[in-house]
Amino acid sequence: MIYQEKLIEEPFGKYQVMKFLEKKLDRAGLANVDIQRTPLVTRITLEVTNPARIIGKKGRLINELTDTIKSEFKIENPQISVIEVREPFLEPRMVGKRAAKYIEMGKKVRAVLHYLLREVIRAGALGAEIVAAGKIGAKGARAKSLRVVAGYIPKAGEPARLIRVAHISANTRSGVIGILVRIVPPGTVFPDKLTTQVVLPKVIEAATDVEKPAEANPAAPAAESQPQRDQRGGPSRFNRRPPFHGRR
């Protein structure tokens, strides 16, 4: 019975630590958390895009974080090491967070997925898959899923362990949209597949940049606001009010 409780408590404790670090270090651009227990210490490796936000001046912030983990989660001798992420588009968690951010801003889901898949492949990934599922349409619409994929993505067997996976949720007005990201990092060697150059479809290659604001056409609103005129200068017959025969 003791071994069964320990078998459940250890993974649950790791899950609690990971959720705490994800919430605490969200602004630092947390990409991945790796926890390894040894007989002497517990090594916690953080992969972030901005290490300065975690380390702080003279290591003050990282020391406070170590003391918090030790006291709240009862972990003996935690040692935190920070690794800087060079390419955010090769980290599935960062890609999923960007997708959730754009979708919550009101961007079109299909355009967001095409743009992010293109950037992931351009960053050097050998394969990538992004799936968005939930209330993608307007409020009251049925739930559906959109999937974009490029390259080779094994789904089962030993090669599937070489893929980086992340699940992120986007909270919209119509409901929650789940985002699944799978990325094959560059340099991955599959025993049953030769690595080839990834060719993107023309639709994804020509995807618009969702980070740039849409260019507004100043002439369009002005033309729409002005009433149509006929050749004599008066209102067009399509804009004239029908005659009134009743009481006011």
Side-chain angles (χ1 to χ4, degrees), residues 43-75:
R43 293 189 178 92
I44 302 174
T45 305
L46 307 177
E47 298 180 11
V48 296
T49 57
N50 191 358
R53 283 184 172 269
I54 299 178
I55 298 173
K57 189 176 181 181
K58 296 182 180 181
R60 180 179 59 85
L61 297 178
I62 198 169
N63 291 333
E64 293 178 357
L65 189 63
T66 303
D67 296 336
T68 303
I69 293 175
K70 187 176 181 180
S71 60
E72 290 190 7
F73 300 99
K74 309 300 180 183
I75 295 178

Side-chain angles (χ1 to χ4, degrees), residues 33-44:
V33 179
D34 183 26
I35 302 175
Q36 294 181 353
R37 291 181 180 270
T38 63
L40 298 178
V41 297
T42 301
R43 293 189 178 92
I44 302 174

Side-chain angles (χ1 to χ4, degrees), residues 74-236:
K74 309 300 180 183
I75 295 178
E76 298 181 358
N77 299 327
Q79 289 186 356
I80 300 177
S81 58
V82 181
I83 300 176
E84 183 179 3
V85 175
R86 298 291 183 180
E87 184 53 67
F89 282 107
L90 293 178
E91 299 295 335
R93 179 174 175 78
M94 302 299 296
V95 175
K97 278 193 169 185
R98 289 197 181 206
K101 176 184 174 183
Y102 296 145
I103 292 173
E104 290 173 354
M105 288 171 58
K107 305 286 185 179
K108 293 184 179 180
V109 179
R110 192 181 298 274
V112 170
L113 300 187
H114 286 180
Y115 164 72
L116 292 176
L117 181 64
R118 183 190 67 186
E119 296 300 319
V120 169
I121 298 301
R122 286 182 177 180
L126 302 179
E129 179 187 21
I130 308 175
V131 182
K135 296 295 185 69
I136 295 176
K139 188 175 182 181
R142 293 183 178 180
K144 62 179 181 178
S145 63
L146 293 177
R147 173 178 176 266
V148 292
V149 62
Y152 177 63
I153 305 288
K155 298 295 181 65
E158 195 68 25
R161 298 185 178 183
L162 303 176
I163 299 177
R164 298 177 181 176
V165 185
H167 298 264
I168 304 295
S169 298
N171 299 317
T172 63
R173 293 182 179 180
S174 57
V176 179
I177 297 177
I179 302 168
L180 170 65
V181 182
R182 291 190 177 100
I183 296 177
V184 181
T188 304
V189 179
F190 296 105
D192 58 342
K193 185 74 174 180
L194 296 176
T195 57
T196 57
Q197 186 178 2
V198 181
V199 180
L200 290 174
K202 292 182 179 180
V203 178
I204 298 178
E205 191 67 39
T208 56
D209 191 347
V210 296
E211 293 184 352
K212 295 180 180 179
E215 295 182 357
N217 188 5
E224 293 178 357
S225 60
Q226 296 178 357
Q228 297 181 3
R229 300 278 178 175
D230 57 8
Q231 295 180 356
R232 295 174 296 178
S236 174

